[in-house]
Amino acid sequence: MSRYGRWGVLALISVVIAGNYYAFDAIAPVADLLRRQRGLSQSEIGLLNAVFGAPNIPLSLVGGILIDRIGPARASLGAAAFCFVGTVLTAVGEPYGVMVFGRLLFGIGEETLFISLLAGVAQWFSAGRAALAMALFFSMARVGSYMADISPRWAVGIYAGGWRPPLVLAAVLTGISLVAAFAYLWIDRFRRAGGPSPGAGGHGRFQWRDLTTFDTSFWYILGLNVLFASVFFPFRSTFAIEFFQDAKGLSLAAAGLVNSWVFFAAIFATPVFGLIADRFGRRAMLLTFGAALMPMTFAILGFTPWSLWISTVLMGLSFSVVPAVIWPSTAMLVEPGRLGTAFGLINVLQSLGMGALNLAAGWLNDQAHAGPHNPAGYAPMLWMFGVFSLAGFVAVAALWRREAGPNGHGLNARGRPA
């Protein structure tokens, strides 16, 4: 297919992921309406997102294996259908059990959808263009999340109608995503009619020993992937705002602003680093640079009085570099027929790591009595995140060293791989 055709496929894939990321984040803006108009408790609202993650740990790997069997395009359509039905039931919302079941269905589909779309991008774009393509994919996902966060501003009339219309809007957007997934599958079938498809599956029957036969470089990059996510998301998405308020004396609004800029800046910076990786190569070096910024960030937060914007810039750079380079680099280390399984395995371990470090950070804060009257109580949490981020740096440094040897896969090469 022509270069323009491949970018057209990326546009469809981006529509699919943006709509579903919007739906994932649609609960938070409507939470207050659910509490006041539906009478839901905080625990009941929390369950709507908690039940989303429940099936992801086992199903990420199952979804990855399925992708390798049937291909990313067909897997994407099936997963998008699950997401659409789930958001419709969530919008129906009554009785409460229907809403919970809707979020459960959405969770079953969304993680497999993410993996299948990511595998689709990897297989439609050559290694020399995959970093930019994947970076744009991630940027569109974050656009969806960002639009959901600010939806009470641009959809004032919809929110004026109560709790249901905003959830109906989320369902409409996942419906548009489903249509885009149909179009993606149609193009994939059309391409296969003319020859081997970049999106075709066909690895054959899965065997458990397949999980142990990946190349050594893959395990190093998996270590960075899991450790980076296990540090970044529990800190920034769970504890950062509270820490900024209690330990740094910021108001809630100011703390939220500092935290939000990490995600907002990544929308624009991630494609830049993807383009750099495609143009100049040196992927292992870029990953090492991005990973090194994380322990530096926690050292600054814990041991210096420096402005929080310094740590925000460092973490924002890290969050832009690592995702832009790590996923296309992973695709270079794994044969196409096993890519879904590899991505699924990474997501399983990421989910376990994020859950474990969320619980560990909360426990450490409780044990140290961290709070506005004891800011020093946050030190154990910062040490934990710093040590795990340092372990991620060690993993990618080992990857850089291995890739410099005779068993490398081109991650250290300059420019685009052959």
Side-chain angles (χ1 to χ4, degrees):
M1 178 169 282
S2 70
R3 177 180 60 181
Y4 299 107
R6 292 178 187 274
W7 290 106
V9 169
L10 178 63
L12 289 172
I13 288 174
S14 298
V15 169
V16 178
I17 199 63
N20 282 277
Y21 264 58
Y22 181 100
F24 170 74
D25 288 304
I27 295 298
V30 82
D32 184 59
L33 294 175
L34 291 172
R35 184 177 58 185
R36 290 189 290 106
Q37 298 179 0
R38 284 288 309 277
L40 298 186
S41 67
Q42 294 281 6
S43 296
E44 287 173 322
I45 294 172
L47 181 61
L48 294 175
N49 275 343
V51 74
F52 169 92
N56 285 342
I57 293 176
L59 291 184
S60 291
L61 182 57
V62 173
I65 296 169
L66 181 66
I67 291 164
D68 288 338
R69 293 293 301 273
I70 69 174
R74 284 195 287 175
S76 297
L77 179 60
F82 265 95
C83 291
F84 175 64
V85 173
T87 53
V88 168
L89 292 177
T90 302
V92 171
E94 292 179 309
Y96 174 70
V98 171
M99 181 176 277
V100 173
F101 182 63
R103 290 297 286 181
L104 176 64
L105 287 181
F106 182 79
I108 290 172
E110 201 274 342
E111 198 68 19
T112 298
L113 180 65
F114 169 78
I115 299 170
S116 60
L117 293 174
L118 195 60
V121 175
Q123 294 182 349
W124 274 90
F125 286 83
S126 65
R129 297 180 178 87
L132 176 59
M134 287 191 181
L136 291 170
F137 168 80
F138 281 115
S139 290
M140 287 304 299
R142 287 165 191 143
V143 166
S145 294
Y146 181 70
M147 293 304 292
D149 285 343
I150 65 171
S151 57
R153 294 189 175 186
W154 61 265
V156 176
I158 292 176
Y159 277 82
W163 62 269
R164 181 174 283 131
L167 297 179
V168 171
L169 174 61
V172 170
L173 291 176
T174 56
I176 294 173
S177 294
L178 181 60
V179 173
F182 266 114
Y184 168 37
L185 177 60
W186 182 83
I187 293 174
D188 182 77
R189 286 181 172 175
F190 176 78
R191 176 64 179 83
R192 276 190 283 126
S197 170
H203 173 56
R205 183 178 180 180
F206 170 79
Q207 297 182 5
W208 285 106
R209 67 171 176 267
D210 289 348
L211 298 179
T212 65
T213 57
F214 290 111
D215 184 83
T216 301
S217 289
F218 169 78
W219 296 108
Y220 287 140
I221 207 168
L222 177 145
L224 172 62
N225 215 325
V226 172
L227 290 166
F228 182 86
S230 298
V231 169
F232 180 87
F233 290 106
F235 179 69
R236 279 290 171 177
S237 298
T238 306
F239 296 102
I241 291 177
E242 184 180 38
F243 169 74
F244 293 157
Q245 290 178 266
D246 295 347
K248 302 298 182 179
L250 270 62
S251 67
L252 175 60
L257 178 64
V258 171
N259 194 52
S260 69
W261 269 91
V262 170
F263 301 101
F264 182 72
I267 294 174
F268 305 99
T270 303
V272 172
F273 286 107
L275 183 61
I276 290 172
D278 281 342
R279 178 65 180 83
F280 299 104
R282 298 297 190 185
R283 293 164 180 82
M285 182 181 69
L286 285 170
L287 287 174
T288 304
F289 165 72
L293 297 178
M294 288 293 280
M296 291 172 56
T297 298
F298 289 106
I300 290 170
L301 287 173
F303 300 115
T304 75
W306 296 355
S307 167
L308 283 176
W309 287 106
I310 296 176
S311 62
T312 296
V313 168
L314 292 177
M315 189 167 279
L317 279 172
S318 184
F319 186 54
S320 299
V321 174
V322 174
V325 181
I326 199 167
W327 291 103
S329 296
T330 303
M332 292 174 65
L333 303 177
V334 180
E335 57 267 32
R338 302 178 66 195
L339 197 55
T341 300
F343 285 170
L345 178 62
I346 290 171
N347 276 41
V348 167
L349 296 179
Q350 280 185 342
S351 296
L352 289 171
M354 288 187 288
L357 263 67
N358 259 312
L359 293 174
W363 182 83
L364 288 172
N365 290 341
D366 287 341
Q367 292 298 306
H369 304 290
H373 302 296
N374 182 31
Y378 285 104
M381 177 189 74
L382 295 178
W383 270 104
M384 180 190 72
F385 285 137
V387 168
F388 275 90
S389 60
L390 185 61
F393 170 76
V394 171
V396 75
L399 172 70
W400 191 2
R401 181 177 180 180
R402 176 177 169 78
E403 286 295 306
N407 295 319
H409 300 76
L411 298 189
N412 278 340
R414 294 182 179 178
R416 294 177 178 176

